[in-house]
Amino acid sequence: MATLNEYLRQKHEALLDWRARVRKGDLSAVTFEASASAEGRSGVRRIRIRDFQVISDSPPEFAGYNLGPSSTELLLGALASCLTHTFLIHASDQGVPLESLHAEVSATIDPRAGAEGYQDVPVYPQDINYLVTLVSPASTADVARLRATVEKLCPILNLLKRGNEVRGQLDHQQP
């Protein structure tokens, strides 16, 4: 069975190169972009990120066709992906070997939120939990140090834990 250790060596080389570019001043802040459009009859949301497309949809009980994950599920998937990637980065940096790595994320959302009698129920996901399972011959202390680094540096985890200001605009156009 192939393990992640060869990939971790590649990741470490990329990390060293990235750090050198930061020191030389070759890198600066980057703006990420994503867009979504609702499709005609289905209401399916086509998300575009760089050259990629992802379909987001609702389950049938919310007038969807179940053609893709919901927005909440995509958020949880983004957290799982970010945790996994951040573990890979810092395992490679700290020399922690990994045989396998898997992240599971869950949250609760109450569909009654905002309805009459439930105005105080939050409309956003609550009780976000994650479980990262890794198989490694590393010591418990090394894995604990790795986890502490990940929890300090995982961008999506920290966004969700600390929040962020979000500014919005609406461009209303008449047909």
Side-chain angles (χ1 to χ4, degrees):
M1 180 170 140
T3 66
L4 292 171
N5 293 313
E6 185 173 326
Y7 175 74
L8 290 178
R9 287 187 284 280
Q10 294 173 351
K11 180 64 88 178
H12 187 69
E13 291 301 316
L15 183 60
L16 293 175
D17 180 60
W18 174 80
R19 285 184 176 148
R21 292 174 63 205
V22 167
R23 279 192 304 278
K24 287 194 292 186
D26 292 345
L27 298 176
S28 60
V30 177
T31 299
F32 291 91
E33 296 179 353
S35 66
S37 299
E39 301 278 321
R41 162 75 174 94
S42 69
V44 167
R45 282 84 61 203
R46 185 177 305 275
I47 301 167
R48 288 184 169 80
I49 303 169
R50 291 187 286 138
D51 294 331
F52 304 99
Q53 291 187 59
V54 177
I55 298 295
S56 178
D57 195 11
S58 302
E61 62 269 15
F62 207 58
Y65 295 93
N66 211 28
L67 297 173
S70 70
S71 301
T72 301
E73 292 165 320
L74 287 168
L75 173 70
L76 298 179
L79 176 56
S81 175
C82 195
L83 283 163
T84 302
H85 188 225
T86 307
F87 264 97
L88 290 171
I89 291 168
H90 297 289
S92 76
D93 190 38
Q94 296 175 14
V96 176
L98 296 176
E99 302 296 316
S100 65
L101 175 64
H102 180 78
E104 295 180 27
V105 178
S106 65
T108 301
I109 194 162
D110 193 331
R112 301 170 296 180
E116 187 174 337
Y118 297 94
Q119 292 89 341
D120 294 334
V121 174
V123 297
Y124 49 86
Q126 299 287 298
D127 304 316
I128 300 172
N129 292 284
Y130 74 84
L131 170 64
V132 172
T133 302
L134 60 83
V135 176
S136 172
S139 71
T140 301
D142 286 345
V143 171
R145 181 171 47 98
L146 174 60
R147 178 185 181 185
T149 301
V150 168
E151 289 191 342
K152 178 181 177 188
L153 299 176
C154 179
I156 303 300
L157 176 64
N158 282 285
L159 171 67
L160 292 171
K161 287 168 57 173
R162 293 177 177 84
N164 197 5
E165 180 181 341
V166 178
R167 293 173 298 280
Q169 296 178 321
L170 174 65
D171 178 15
H172 176 197
Q173 299 178 4
Q174 296 290 328

